[in-house]
Structures are given as structure tokens and as C-alpha cells.
Amino acid sequence: MRRLRASAGRALAEVSGRALGPYQSAVIRIGFAGTWLFFLIREFPHRAELYGPDGPWSFGLAERLIASNRAFTVLMWSDAHLWFEAVYALSALASVGLLLGWRTRATSVVFMIGVLSLQNRSVFMGDGGDNVIHLMAMYLVVTRCAQVWSLDARRARRRGAATAGAAGPVLWGVLGAVFAYGAATGRFTTGWLAAFAALWVVAALWWMADRYEPRGEGRAALDVLANLLHNAGMLVIMGEVCLIYATAGWYKIQGSRWQDGTALYYPLGLDYFTPWPGLSALLASSGTLVMLLSYGTVAVQVAFPFTLFNRRLKNVLLAVMMLEHAGIAVLLGLPFFSMAMITADAVFLPTAFLLWLGGRFTALRPGRRRAGPPADGPAAPLPAQGEPEPRPSPVPR
């Protein structure tokens, strides 16, 4: 019994004392922000048809749907073309800020608002990759995903938390004004109003603790709360990835085309999914290869959640799934879906591999010496709008 209590105490101290998986959360932040940014840039010429006033899903139809499902989108605040352009541009800027890890706590909220606003405006324009980005945009808000590989971490190493600057409070001040306007005009549902109010209040408390009591009990309590939320968010992200693969695999098993091994053959014959017709025709001409790929896809997806307890087997299947999504991007012409899924898979990458990858990237940067400490090693705690950077942790292995 004593051993059980001691183990429980150590586990509680671990999950509340630090934010686990700093490198995994950084990859998630960079990957999803980059995926959404590249999508917005690629679709910039068609933005009005996808999410704006020129699309087949009119403003009136969107109003009727949102009135029934209570989805969140600021694009329903006005049907003016200028308002749509402003939201689209702000979504792209938030993606850049989140990608670089600049004032990450505030930019993650703006990033989430941009993603939900555009996707919920035209719900029939998305695919599986959009659904993953939709979910991860919300999960990133509660994670401390800028502990490493971010401008926030760089600022903390160079200046410390005491010189946080005015950009963070200004961002939160603007967000507070937007939240107040939404509340006063009844634009928010009760749930979203409570969520935004809680985010703003916690950010204000953190700023006051950093300014007036940086070493006090109040700041320590906020750190514990942030660590618990971060670790819970990372656990939810990992669970979400397992759920995606488990449901996809088991639904495939029930399909007759997957059972006879011919499922991959049919999309290879559709013009929409053949950016390289010659390559698709070559693959479709081999019945054995089509069967092996079809069965292999099902086997990997069903097996992956069960391999998490075996590190080596999990890493092998993880590499296979990433190669599979890379193949989907090339063969079926779904690059953003593949980018989203590869980024989601990255939450399970070993810390040692991410450290090696970061070291190779740092070595390629001009003006950087190969010797010396890692570029994103442990640093002083970051200000409220950034993320404190604890020592690197080996989770998940």
C-alpha cells in the first residue's frame, strides 16, 4: 500500500511539476500552423468561393445551419466582403505567429478562431485533414507548445521572463475587447463565452503574477494548473490519433472492397485523385501490389493503437504510416490531408529522434557553430503569453 501511494505521489508530482513532451508539442504546433498557412496561401485565389460571399454555400444557408448546430464562426458577424478579407488575413497572420512561436498563448487563440471561423462558414468544403486541424486547433490552446523551437523560448533565454514586453498584453487587450463585443451583442453561445472568458481571466492573472509576484505562491499555482492542462491536452491529442486510426481501420474491415483487397484500385481510376495519371495507371495495373497495399493499410491502422506499449514496434509502424501518408499526398493529390496526419503522428515520435533532427537543422543554419549547447535547451520561465521551458522530457518514448 505504501508503495502504491508513493508511486501515485510521484506520478502526480510528475504531471503537475512540468509540461511533458516539449519537443512533441513543438512539432505539433509547427506542423499544424504550417499546414493551415500553406493551405490558405494555396487557396488564396479561390478564397471567396471556398469560404466567402462568392461560394455556393450562401450566407443565408450558413446562418440557418449555424443556428441549428451552434457552431462558432466570426464570419457570421457580418456578410461584408471586407470583414471576410480581414478574417482570412488574420487567420494567415496567426498561423505565421504560431509557426514561429511568437506570443504563443495569444496567437494560439487567434489561430483557433481563424480555423473555426473559416471551416464552420462552409462545412462542406473540408475533408479528413480539415477535421484534424479543426480539433488540434482547439487542443493547442491548452498546451505549452512553445517551450522549445520558438521565438518565445529564444526571448526567455536571452532576456528572461522579467522583460516580457508590451506585445503580449496588447494582444490580450485586443482579444478582450473582441470577447466583450461578442458577449454584449450576443454573438457567442454560453459555452464559447465561458471558454473565452476563462482564457482571458487566466491570462490576466498570469500577467499580474509575473509582474507583481514572479516567485510567489500564486505564480507557482498557475504553473501547476498550466502543466496539468498541457499534459491533459497532450494525452487527448494522443488519444485522438489512436481513435482516428482505430475507427478508420475497423470501418475498412467492414467494407467488401477492403475485404477482397481491391479498395485502392478505384480511386486510382478517378481523375480527381490522379495528379500523375501514368504513375496511378502503373500502380493499378498490378493486382498483387494493390492487394498488398490495401491489406497493409488496414493492418497498420488497426494494429497501431496496440503497439504503443512496445516502443520498437510502435516506431516501425509510425514510420510506415508516415510513408503511407506521403504516398497518399503524391498518388492521390491530397497534400494537406497528408501533412495534417503526419503532424498528428509526430506526437508519438521519440524525443531522441527529435533532438537529433533539431541538431541537424541547427547545424544547417548559416553562422551557427556545430559545437556547443543545443539551440533550445532549458531556459528561464517564459512570460504569460509564452510558454515556460522546463528540462526536456522523454515523453512519449
Side-chain angles (χ1 to χ4, degrees), residues 173-195:
V174 173
L175 284 173
V178 173
F179 297 158
Y181 171 78
T185 56
R187 305 285 187 178
F188 295 146
T189 61
T190 304
W192 281 108
L193 179 60

